[in-house]
Amino acid sequence: MKDTVRYALVLFIISFLAAILLSTTYAVTQPRIEKARQEQEDEAVKEVLPQAKQTKEAEKNGINYYEALDEGGTLIGYIFICEAKGYSSVIRAVVSAKPDGTLLTIKILEQNETPGIGSKITEGVFLDGFKGKNKNDTIDTITGATISSSALVSSVKATMEKIF
């Protein structure tokens, strides 16, 4: 009985110290991770609509997006970030569209789908299928990666539905 209590106490102390170490590491690294994520988003926003000289944050129906303006302050498009639950991860993408709702560019920010299958959503062949489409058009999914590609298509369309 004495040994059982001693082993339980040792295990508790090790677990407690590991938890403290893990939470401290998280607290120290979280601001850096958030900063890097924000920098990645800012760079992607510039990349999907390079003609925009400035962007202005806006909100509609609970969706935050950017209005892309040219040097004269004329609206040339919208940029938004959408999220979807894919097969094995959350898929985050930044999307640009013309003021009439026609899609221009889509770039995947984050995904951890199955390599070689679900990760095909990052390939140009699939992403180019969005160009020139609007929220009512059919966008082809990827055979073998139906869940991942359907999730992305649905997310883009749902977000566009709220903005346009």
Side-chain angles (χ1 to χ4, degrees):
M1 178 73 180
K2 248 182 178 177
D3 286 344
T4 305
V5 172
R6 189 177 77 193
Y7 291 142
L9 183 60
V10 169
L11 183 60
F12 173 77
I13 290 171
I14 292 171
S15 299
F16 183 74
L17 292 175
I20 289 174
L21 183 63
L22 186 60
S23 64
T24 302
T25 302
Y26 176 80
V28 169
T29 59
Q30 185 60 25
R32 291 180 188 167
I33 292 169
E34 284 301 317
K35 182 181 177 192
R37 186 177 187 179
Q38 187 61 48
E39 288 172 356
Q40 179 189 25
E41 281 183 16
D42 293 344
E43 187 63 35
V45 164
K46 292 176 188 172
E47 192 175 315
V48 295
L49 198 56
Q51 310 89 294
K53 300 301 176 197
Q54 61 182 4
T55 56
K56 185 172 75 173
E57 288 189 43
E59 188 268 332
K60 186 176 186 181
N61 296 325
I63 301 293
N64 293 320
Y65 61 95
Y66 299 95
E67 293 179 346
L69 310 171
D70 65 10
E71 59 275 341
T74 305
L75 179 69
I76 59 170
Y78 297 100
I79 302 168
F80 57 90
I81 295 172
C82 59
E83 287 188 9
K85 174 68 175 109
Y87 179 73
S88 61
S89 69
V90 173
I91 303 166
R92 296 182 71 242
V94 62
V95 181
S96 64
K98 293 180 184 177
D100 66 358
T102 303
L103 290 169
L104 294 169
T105 309
I106 184 166
K107 177 182 167 106
I108 305 298
L109 290 174
E110 192 176 303
Q111 65 85 23
N112 285 315
E113 297 298 287
T114 308
I117 301 171
S119 64
K120 288 182 180 180
I121 62 171
T122 63
E123 295 176 3
V125 175
F126 174 65
L127 297 177
D128 288 345
F130 286 87
K131 290 181 182 176
K133 306 282 179 132
N134 64 39
K135 64 183 176 188
N136 299 319
D137 290 339
T138 301
I139 299 170
D140 293 333
T141 58
I142 301 171
T143 302
T146 310
I147 294 172
S148 303
S149 56
S150 294
L152 182 60
V153 169
S154 297
S155 176
V156 169
K157 286 185 172 191
T159 305
M160 288 182 69
E161 192 71 41
K162 293 180 180 179
I163 295 174
F164 297 99

